[in-house]
Structure formats: C-alpha cells, structure tokens
Amino acid sequence: MATTKWVLDPAHSELQFKVKHLMITTVTGSFNDFSAELTTDNENFEHSAISFKAGVSSIDTGNKDRDGHLVSADFFNAEEFPSVSFESTSFKQVDGDYKLEGNLTIKGVTKPVALNVEFGGTAQDPWGNTKAGFTLSGKINRTDFGLTYNAALETGGVMLSEDVRILGELQFAKEA
C-alpha cells in the first residue's frame, strides 16, 4: 500500500506548554518555530508515523525576561540543546480519537510519553489542498527531562510545578 506524507501548515498550527506558577496561576508558553510531519498508509491515520521538532530559542511566553531565563542553562539550555523533538512509536484509534505514544527528547534526555489526540477531520482549502486537523494534549514531568530549576517559597511550596501540560493545534497539508 502506498504511503502518504503530510506536512505541517505552520500558519494554522500552534504548539504550547502550560506550567503552574506559585501554584496559583498558569503561565502559557509557545514554540514559535516548530515543524512536524506524519506519514500514513490509510485514510483514518491509524498507525501513522509522526514526528516534530521545536526550536528552543523560539520560546515565547509574552515576557522577554522569562523567555531569556527559559532558554538559559537553568532550563532548556538552548545553546547546547537547540531543539525539542518527538518521534512516534504508536498511533492508535481509541473511541474515534487517538492515543499517540512516542519518545520525547528535551535537553538531551529521551523519555517515552503518551498524548491524547482529537481528530478534527479533513477538508479541502480554496486552492485544492487537502488538510487534516488534530488537537494534541498531554502532560509530562519536566524534572524527568532535566528541567529541575525551582525555588522554595517562604510560605511553603515551590515556585514552579513539575507538571507541564502540552497542547497543540496542528493542521497538516497532504503532499501531492
């Protein structure tokens, strides 16, 4: 059976992360520079091979000082580890949506992760391109990947949660 390659439409996609700050609010960050592709051999995308890569220096939280701290050696160490990457090991349909499993690499550490994927469907754009949309969600523990920076609070607790939520809105274009 022939395979079909789909490439990310970056103008209609986003990749974000969310972390609790002071354990009372959530800060959202985005990777402004990322790419992804999927390869499939069927119409329902089950068993597709999926990969993505995000440029660490493209982190944007809406605060330049915080962004600078995140790309420093305290967190992602963009100078030594310029990207975050993911390679799927499984993409299975579950109740109309999907469970995506694969290996996530952050700061030179690779760990298996499982993400939920909602399939938005396919459509043809006004120029005749076939597009497919997916909503990605999941959670990782940042310390598993060497992102251990934190500070104890005088009132107890810590400044940053270890849990990081990952969210993506991904639109892919089918290659001819």
Side-chain angles (χ1 to χ4, degrees):
M1 190 173 242
T3 60
T4 303
K5 184 176 176 183
W6 298 73
V7 294
L8 188 74
D9 176 351
H12 299 103
S13 299
E14 58 188 37
L15 183 59
Q16 298 179 319
F17 57 90
K18 295 181 177 279
V19 179
K20 284 277 191 190
H21 181 257
L22 301 178
M23 312 324 279
I24 59 172
T25 58
T26 299
V27 172
T28 301
S30 297
F31 289 97
N32 290 333
D33 176 22
F34 71 100
S35 60
E37 66 179 45
L38 67 98
T39 304
T40 188
D41 60 7
N42 58 52
E43 293 298 315
N44 71 359
F45 295 95
E46 189 164 24
H47 306 297
S48 294
I50 301 164
S51 64
F52 81 75
K53 187 178 234 182
V56 170
S57 61
S58 75
I59 287 175
D60 182 0
T61 64
N63 180 295
K64 294 230 181 275
D65 290 339
R66 180 173 44 228
D67 297 346
H69 193 200
L70 286 172
V71 301
S72 77
D74 281 346
F75 286 97
F76 285 94
N77 193 0
E79 190 172 309
E80 188 174 344
F81 304 102
S83 63
V84 170
S85 63
F86 175 85
E87 293 287 334
S88 68
T89 57
S90 174
F91 192 59
K92 295 181 183 171
Q93 199 165 25
V94 179
D95 298 327
D97 289 322
Y98 295 90
K99 180 63 77 176
L100 173 61
E101 296 177 350
N103 295 310
L104 179 64
T105 302
I106 300 174
K107 210 172 169 181
V109 177
T110 302
K111 298 278 185 180
V113 297
L115 304 167
N116 298 312
V117 180
E118 180 183 327
F119 179 50
T122 59
Q124 201 164 54
D125 71 13
W127 301 274
N129 301 303
T130 302
K131 303 285 187 92
F134 300 89
T135 299
L136 175 81
S137 64
K139 184 169 58 170
I140 62 169
N141 183 315
R142 65 185 178 85
T143 63
D144 290 345
F145 296 91
L147 300 170
T148 57
Y149 177 86
N150 218 337
L153 302 175
E154 288 182 23
T155 57
V158 291
M159 184 173 19
L160 301 171
S161 169
E162 290 183 3
D163 289 337
V164 178
R165 288 184 288 154
I166 299 172
L167 304 156
E169 290 294 333
L170 308 172
Q171 188 174 114
F172 289 90
K174 185 178 190 179
E175 284 195 339

